[in-house]
Amino acid sequence: MRPDLIERISRFSEAGRVKAAWILLGVSSIILIALYIEARAHFSTFPYAMDLLAAVVLILFVLMLRTQLHYALYMSKAISQDRLTGTLNNAAFMARMEELVSNPANRCALFIIDLDEFKSINDTYGHPVGDGVIKEVARRLRGMIRSGDLIARIGGDEFAILLVNISGFRFTEGFLSRLNRVMSEPLDIDNKKIVCKLSVGHASSPLDAISAKALYRVADAEMYARKKAGKKAAEQAQINAGAEVKSTRG
């Protein structure tokens, strides 16, 4: 199977890929049957052995094409998915987002989600627990989106969600509120209750940008600004707590 065909197939949604594969299989079978009927019409003394041979060739062709299509679907899925979470990977997400955002009819909202202090979770509990956290976060995020929306793991502890055909500002704010509520509940990983704090940046098209890369830059910049502000607030809280302890001892 040609690599460029696999790449083209990978751009479709899962349901779209399966549907396209079955359509291609059906059309190919119809063409073969039509050719057989045409040959039958031109040869009045068509031998029985040729009927049998045509049937065998058709069956073998359908089986071969079916195997090739399944391989193409498997490969397209493999090259577009993140292995740990099963979400889209960064490359597949950006390619799909470019198609959606570049269409002026689509109103989209991009959310860049970063897990705060994820390194400390790995250091404290180990990488298996850290992987469990990533998978559980992906599961919760996947449960929040609709069938036409996109979700990807774009880095070690970073995710991206693209909401497609949003109704407006209230929809975006409502999703952000629900995201904070869902992720505020502790994660149960190997009988350990782990609370994940998030830094989230978001941007909307065409309001903030009209291309995928520009939209990503706006949302990413806001996410890092919120992350920086959160660290500064946490440091200030520690300083205030230390000052209170000193004053109490004094």
Side-chain angles (χ1 to χ4, degrees):
M1 183 66 70
R2 292 165 52 191
D4 59 336
L5 178 58
I6 293 175
E7 184 178 354
R8 289 177 185 177
I9 293 176
S10 69
R11 293 183 180 181
F12 291 97
S13 65
E14 182 68 20
R17 291 198 296 261
V18 173
K19 184 178 180 180
W22 281 109
I23 290 175
L24 180 59
L25 183 61
V27 169
S28 300
S29 301
I30 291 172
I31 291 174
L32 272 182
I33 293 172
L35 290 174
Y36 167 72
I37 293 173
E38 184 69 15
R40 258 325 219 123
H42 283 78
F43 296 95
S44 57
T45 57
F46 208 81
Y48 173 76
M50 292 300 292
D51 285 333
L52 182 60
L53 179 61
V56 171
V57 170
L58 176 60
I59 292 172
L60 289 177
F61 175 80
V62 170
L63 291 176
M64 181 188 70
L65 184 58
R66 183 174 180 272
T67 301
Q68 288 286 301
L69 289 173
H70 274 283
Y71 172 73
L73 290 172
Y74 169 78
M75 288 301 297
S76 68
K77 188 174 182 180
I79 65 176
S80 64
Q81 279 192 343
D82 172 65
R83 292 184 179 181
L84 182 61
T85 62
T87 64
L88 292 174
N89 58 32
N90 187 40
F93 180 80
M94 291 301 295
R96 189 77 182 97
M97 183 170 66
E98 186 64 52
E99 294 179 6
L100 293 168
V101 173
S102 61
N103 185 351
N106 289 330
R107 297 182 63 184
C108 303
L110 174 65
F111 294 80
I112 304 296
I113 303 162
D114 182 84
L115 306 185
D116 294 338
E117 300 179 359
F118 179 72
K119 184 178 182 301
S120 65
I121 294 176
N122 274 333
D123 294 341
T124 302
Y125 301 107
H127 288 283
V129 171
D131 288 347
V133 168
I134 293 295
K135 288 191 285 188
E136 176 61 17
V137 169
R139 187 190 67 81
R140 291 191 183 185
L141 294 178
R142 192 183 289 111
M144 294 182 60
I145 63 175
R146 303 160 299 173
S147 59
D149 300 329
L150 304 181
I151 177 173
R153 182 186 178 209
I154 57 176
D157 60 345
E158 283 191 30
F159 292 87
I161 288 178
L162 184 73
L163 302 181
V164 185
N165 293 325
I166 61 174
S167 56
F169 177 77
R170 288 185 178 180
F171 186 92
T172 302
E173 289 300 308
F175 180 84
L176 184 59
S177 177
R178 189 157 58 95
L179 172 64
N180 290 325
R181 184 173 67 253
V182 169
M183 294 308 302
S184 66
E185 299 177 3
L187 309 179
D188 189 357
I189 311 295
D190 289 345
N191 296 320
K192 298 176 179 64
K193 299 293 184 181
I194 299 175
V195 176
C196 278
K197 295 182 179 180
L198 308 177
S199 292
V200 183
H202 71 279
S204 301
S205 71
L207 180 62
D208 297 312
I210 56 174
S211 72
K213 290 182 179 179
L215 191 68
Y216 183 91
R217 284 196 296 268
V218 174
D220 196 50
E222 182 179 331
M223 183 274 291
Y224 274 105
R226 290 181 181 274
K227 194 175 185 69
K228 186 176 180 180
K231 284 184 178 180
K232 186 176 292 186
E235 290 172 358
Q236 187 61 48
Q238 288 183 346
I239 293 173
N240 294 340
E244 288 180 4
V245 170
K246 287 182 179 179
S247 64
T248 302
R249 289 178 179 176

